[in-house]
Amino acid sequence: MTITEPLLAVAGLTVRFRLPDAEVHAVTDLHLAIRPGELLAVVGESGCGKSVLAHALLGLLPGNATVTGSALLRSGAAPAIDLLTCPPRQLARQVRGRVVGLVPQSPATSLTPVRTGRRLLVETLRAHGHTRAQAPAAADRLAAEVGLDPADLDRYPHELSGGMAQRLATALALAPDPPLLLADEPTTGLDRPLVDHTLDLLRRRCDAGAAVLLITHDLTAAQRVADTVAVMYASRIVEHAPTEALFDTPGHPYSAALLDALPQRAFRPVPGHPPMLTDLPVGCAFAARCDRATPACRVQPAFTGTGVGRVACHHPLEHAELRAEVPA
């Protein structure tokens, strides 16, 4: 694999959940690519479909889910694998943990309750090449790397705080040294110094050649470590751009509204509420909250280039407008 080829290339990913009286449009026609050494952050309000993206890539969705599209994973000289059509047995034995690691959003529900953190970590390390003699010391080093006191590894999951469980889950995901890491809200329950510590740890993994897909609602976190940012709204990616460009000159009105909600900016909440994923409007889902909406927004906008990124909007923000809005 050359450096120009994506490690993961997702095209047209669509996820629907069948309910007795409705259908949840969780992810719609999602396209993204991530390369070795890249940290891509997917941001957006809660409930927009970010976590479903991660679970779809690893085959962890419930039985009422329908998934279409493709997600080609390339690792080494082996043929590419489509994660969306890969047999469950192959996903479990060859992909999860080995090639793609997952830091789950709710670590307390993913940790085996009858094993201590140390046993979980040592077993994971031994399953991925460490000897019986090497694994305990490696577990201590990895715990310290994620900001967890190695002594706390001797506790059971129910004895750990939420933040400690989050750090243990991160250590378990990092233990096999996977080429691709899916980090789903990896800073949940952490105080600011540990948030920064975890983000910097993910950044170092990328700088060493791995790829990280960071799913977060924390825009400050994305700005700190991401190379590129994809903004998700009501099941769709609405903007995808290099981090600096998106924070300086967002093209989509929703991206600009998210940034304006930050305390260090206008501290102005996004007006209105996102639509229900069971009842999405025709056309642009953000139109009801957007002061730039026109009748043209009744048609779903296609992605267009903005010079440095891509935006799906009939009336994208112009850089001149943004400069006029930024205080001197």
Side-chain angles (χ1 to χ4, degrees), residues 16 19 21-26 28 46-49 233-235 272-282 285-286 288-289:
R16 300 289 183 259
L19 302 179
D21 56 353
E23 184 177 58
V24 179
H25 293 235
T28 302
S46 296
C48 69
Y233 182 77
S235 85
H273 301 281
M276 297 289 292
L277 295 183
T278 54
D279 188 26
L280 291 177
V282 175
F286 188 63
R289 308 172 73 182

Side-chain angles (χ1 to χ4, degrees), residues 111 115-128 130 135-144 146 148 150 153 167-176:
L111 300 174
R115 286 178 169 84
T116 63
R118 182 175 302 283
R119 184 173 175 185
L120 288 170
L121 197 48
V122 166
E123 287 178 349
T124 301
L125 289 164
R126 291 197 61 199
H128 294 279
H130 285 73
D140 284 351
R141 288 195 300 272
L142 196 50
V146 300
L148 185 66
L153 289 178
R167 281 170 275 167
L168 175 58
T170 300
L172 289 166
L174 295 178

Side-chain angles (χ1 to χ4, degrees), residues 10 13 27 30 32 42 49-57 213 215:
V10 181
L13 174 60
V27 178
L30 185 145
L32 61 80
V42 178
K50 303 188 302 295
S51 293
V52 175
L53 162 62
H55 291 173
L57 294 175
L213 179 61
I215 294 170

